[in-house]
Amino acid sequence: MAEQDSVLTGMGTATWSAEDGTAYEVALEGTHHVAGAYSRLIAEAEQAGDGERARVLLEEQGAWAARRAELSPADRATVDAVTAECTRELARLRGLR
């Protein structure tokens, strides 16, 4: 593959370290787990015929998806805060039934 055909052409140099990139990936994975926990609760609410609860949970899940989309490996403080919040949120969601 010629250099001009590379998908990496013009990307420039990363503005974050490898550690920042790894922390970012961990935060993304955490938000995926949170979204999955919400999916379970949404399905349970729908099966129970509780449309209002399902709607609220779906909105909360959407807020987490938006947070995931806004994350940047260049913002380590936010990445670390989201990772910590994911841990707390997963514990809370797993306790709900």
Side-chain angles (χ1 to χ4, degrees):
M1 171 182 281
E3 181 62 32
Q4 70 268 13
D5 296 334
S6 173
V7 296
L8 302 177
T9 300
M11 286 191 66
T13 304
T15 58
W16 55 85
S17 69
E19 291 82 10
D20 292 340
T22 300
Y24 170 74
E25 292 294 331
V26 169
L28 289 180
E29 187 66 20
T31 62
H32 288 296
H33 284 275
V34 169
Y38 271 105
S39 292
R40 176 186 58 85
L41 293 171
I42 292 164
E44 289 173 359
E46 289 172 344
Q47 290 172 352
D50 191 346
E52 178 60 18
R53 178 169 164 74
R55 184 193 63 76
V56 169
L57 290 167
L58 190 58
E59 286 178 7
E60 292 173 8
Q61 183 186 48
W64 275 95
R67 290 183 74 190
R68 177 176 53 233
E70 293 170 357
L71 275 178
S72 168
D75 185 356
R76 182 64 182 268
T78 299
V79 165
D80 289 345
V82 167
T83 299
E85 191 173 348
C86 284
T87 300
R88 291 188 302 273
E89 185 70 354
L90 282 170
R92 185 184 76 79
L93 292 173
R94 290 175 177 158
L96 295 178
R97 291 278 178 207

